[in-house]
Amino acid sequence: EYTLDDGIEVRAFMGSGNEYYVEWREKPGSHFRVAREFYLETGAVKRITHEWFGNSVGITTEYDPTGQIVKEVDNDAPYPFSYTDVIQLLKERGVDVWNPSFGEDSFFGLSMSRTTNPSPQYIVSYPARDPGMRHVIIVDGVTGAIVVENDESIKDKNGIE
């Protein structure tokens, strides 16, 4: 691991089965990351993915060993209500996703994920006002409507409240 002059942190490691090399670039606290995979044999780029809270966003591009694009996937296509819209929705509700006190720990901090099963949705959770509780919001990924909103009791990683 190392840090670039602009504050971007770079982490490199071997991919699944040691078949490729992975590089993550992320500005601390941004919740955005660029993941690049490289062919071991040539060092050429194999795939570039942009991630937000660990969710693939934007266009993921895959390349063959000669550098030709072989596949592009629009990860945002199922979500007309975009992740930036979710950020704005949370801001309007007084939740600052850039607040460093949320940290990167999805168990105790801010957590966001998205799914298309059964329909496009964002699942957001963060510490509630009451200790030992998390506030959970499920947002329709098409309309932006809040589908579910409640506080849930949390237990630590060992199942203890």
Side-chain angles (χ1 to χ4, degrees), residues 39 42 44-45 62-70:
Y39 289 99
T42 64
V45 174
E62 295 183 18
Y63 302 86
D64 70 14
T66 68
Q68 299 298 309
I69 294 173
V70 294

Side-chain angles (χ1 to χ4, degrees), residues 78-81 120-122 139-145:
Y79 303 92
F81 193 79
Q121 297 178 336
Y122 296 91
V139 180
D140 185 296
V142 175
T143 67

Side-chain angles (χ1 to χ4, degrees), residues 5 7 28 45 60 63 78 107 157 159-160:
D5 291 341
V45 174
T60 294
Y63 302 86
F107 188 79
K157 294 177 182 176
I160 300 169

Side-chain angles (χ1 to χ4, degrees), residues 16 18-19 27 31 38 45 57 63 67 78 87-88 101 114 118 123 131 139 141 143 145 154 160:
S16 177
N18 292 330
E19 295 177 5
K27 185 160 188 143
H31 308 294
F38 299 89
V45 174
V57 297
Y63 302 86
I87 292 170
Q88 183 60 36
S101 69
R114 62 185 191 177
I123 299 100
V139 180
T143 67
I154 61 170
I160 300 169

Side-chain angles (χ1 to χ4, degrees), residues 106-159:
S106 64
F107 188 79
F108 292 108
L110 178 68
S111 172
M112 292 194 204
S113 60
R114 62 185 191 177
T115 182
T116 55
N117 186 9
S119 62
Q121 297 178 336
Y122 296 91
I123 299 100
V124 181
S125 71
Y126 51 90
R129 288 191 169 97
D130 294 330
M133 302 290 282
R134 288 189 66 74
H135 194 70
V136 178
I137 301 172
I138 298 178
V139 180
D140 185 296
V142 175
T143 67
I146 294 175
V147 179
V148 172
E149 181 170 20
N150 59 36
D151 286 347
E152 296 180 356
S153 175
I154 61 170
K155 299 178 190 275
D156 70 15
K157 294 177 182 176
N158 296 313

